[in-house]
Amino acid sequence: MCMAGDADWVATAASEPELACPTSAVVDIVFSRWTTPILWTLHTHGRQRFVELERRIGTITPKVLTQRLRQLERDGMVVRTYHPEVPPRVEYEISELGRSLAPLFAHLAEWAAGNLDKVEQARHDYDTVPPR
């Protein structure tokens, strides 16, 4: 949660809402559509070529995988290694910065295990109540 009591934070929130919450940039990086499966796969299976990564993720298109890998490389989460051989070989691996997210993902998995049933129940309750 992004809450603070000081006047500087309140002024920042009022004038620049996108800067008011320091975690919003992290959420944009880590929780975009394909980031989690890419990082999870690289963390679990280690260094991989593009085709291996694509095969393990399964439902991602080559175009989207390329875009996400480039963004993750730019953000420092993934390391791309080019091997100048014939044919050229490119491998991707999770960086130390990317690996540092492991505790966050572990906490999220723990939260999911303990709470997703409650979320489903809340959705069911909401969907079955007549509109107000």
Side-chain angles (χ1 to χ4, degrees):
M1 250 319 130
C2 296
M3 292 183 226
D6 66 30
D8 289 339
W9 184 85
V10 173
T12 300
S15 64
E16 301 175 63
E18 67 279 359
L19 299 178
C21 181
T23 62
S24 62
V26 175
V27 169
D28 288 345
I29 292 167
V30 177
F31 297 110
S32 63
R33 173 68 174 99
W34 292 105
T35 297
T36 304
I38 291 169
L39 291 178
W40 186 278
T41 302
L42 290 173
H43 181 76
T44 303
H45 299 284
R47 181 181 302 151
Q48 297 173 64
R49 294 177 74 170
F50 184 90
V51 175
E52 295 171 304
L53 190 54
E54 181 183 23
R55 193 176 308 123
R56 283 198 167 106
I57 294 172
T59 55
I60 193 169
T61 66
K63 177 183 176 184
V64 171
L65 180 56
T66 298
Q67 290 170 341
R68 291 307 309 146
L69 284 169
R70 286 181 182 157
Q71 186 63 49
L72 288 167
E73 182 182 8
R74 181 175 182 258
D75 291 338
M77 302 292 162
V78 167
V79 176
R80 179 183 182 269
T81 305
Y82 175 78
H83 300 278
E85 41 190 58
V86 179
R89 182 169 48 101
V90 176
E91 295 177 320
Y92 298 90
E93 63 185 305
I94 193 168
S95 69
E96 283 301 316
L97 183 60
R99 257 189 226 94
S100 72
L101 292 169
L104 172 65
F105 288 125
H107 285 296
L108 287 171
E110 184 179 315
W111 184 90
N115 292 292
L116 282 182
D117 58 333
K118 296 172 190 163
V119 171
E120 287 301 320
Q121 183 62 51
R123 287 176 179 171
H124 172 74
D125 294 348
Y126 181 91
D127 292 344
T128 58
V129 173
R132 298 172 205 152

